[in-house]
Amino acid sequence: MADEKRLIQILFNLLQNAVKYTSTGSVTVHADIHKGLARIHITDTGIGMNEETQLRAFQPYEQGDSNMTAISGGIGLGLSICKQLVELHGGEISVKSSLGKGSTFTFTMPLSDASIQKFNSEPPTVSEYKDKQSQITLSEIAATSTSSTDGEDLGFWLSMMIPLI
């Protein structure tokens, strides 16, 4: 079972990066279950990364190129911390990206046996998911807001999402 505070930290770091590097377009969170693992996908339509940057993305103090550093102002620890936290929970994290088209960060978390049994024995009704999908999709609101990089707006969205995952 995941530590809720660490799960929030992982989501916060990934969403903050997605919003930071997406000046227009969207940032979307999607979750699914595959082979006893929860898979959480954070997809953006931002600046994207080349293959070389993707290979270094989870190393400490990596920022890609100088343009990324100028945009973010960070020191490049967020993705490294995410990787460590995901692995401590028995999961994996990866990135798929195209320069100029955006990125998708995916991380997995093992589900408890009780959670797996619940999903296998009691499939959710359409109404249960109908409202939840709209609550976990960040769209142009976050991507076009220049004040969202301070985390205040993002914190609100995360508090809405966590009970749903």
Side-chain angles (χ1 to χ4, degrees):
M1 180 171 271
D3 175 344
E4 183 178 344
K5 289 182 181 183
R6 298 301 135 232
L7 179 58
I8 290 170
Q9 185 176 3
I10 294 163
L11 285 167
F12 182 85
N13 284 350
L14 293 173
L15 286 168
Q16 187 175 34
N17 277 353
V19 169
K20 188 184 311 180
Y21 294 114
T22 304
S23 59
T24 60
S26 63
V27 173
T28 305
V29 177
H30 172 76
D32 58 38
I33 298 170
H34 181 72
K35 296 183 180 180
L37 297 172
R39 293 189 306 189
I40 298 90
H41 314 274
I42 295 87
T43 301
D44 66 65
T45 58
I47 63 173
M49 292 181 274
N50 61 29
E51 287 183 37
E52 181 183 329
T53 303
Q54 290 177 62
L55 293 172
R56 297 188 329 257
F58 299 105
Q59 295 176 5
Y61 305 107
E62 280 300 320
Q63 288 266 292
D65 61 28
S66 60
N67 291 333
M68 292 175 75
T69 304
I71 291 170
S72 72
I75 60 170
L77 287 174
L79 292 177
S80 175
I81 290 169
C82 287
K83 183 178 189 311
Q84 291 175 12
L85 292 174
V86 167
E87 288 175 351
L88 283 171
H89 283 88
E92 296 179 355
I93 188 168
S94 62
V95 61
K96 290 183 180 179
S97 185
S98 295
L99 196 56
K101 294 183 179 180
S103 304
T104 297
F105 285 84
T106 299
F107 70 95
T108 61
M109 291 276 175
L111 292 172
S112 68
D113 290 339
S115 294
I116 294 170
Q117 288 175 359
K118 178 181 177 185
F119 283 108
N120 288 338
S121 64
E122 300 173 26
T125 64
V126 173
S127 62
E128 285 180 279
Y129 276 105
K130 182 178 177 187
D131 294 333
K132 291 181 181 182
Q133 181 63 38
S134 62
Q135 289 178 353
I136 63 170
T137 300
L138 299 178
S139 62
E140 294 179 23
I141 295 168
T144 58
S145 171
T146 57
S147 65
S148 63
T149 56
D150 64 8
E152 193 172 306
D153 296 336
L154 209 47
F156 169 77
W157 284 103
L158 282 173
S159 67
M160 297 296 289
M161 286 174 31
I162 295 305
L164 306 178
I165 294 177

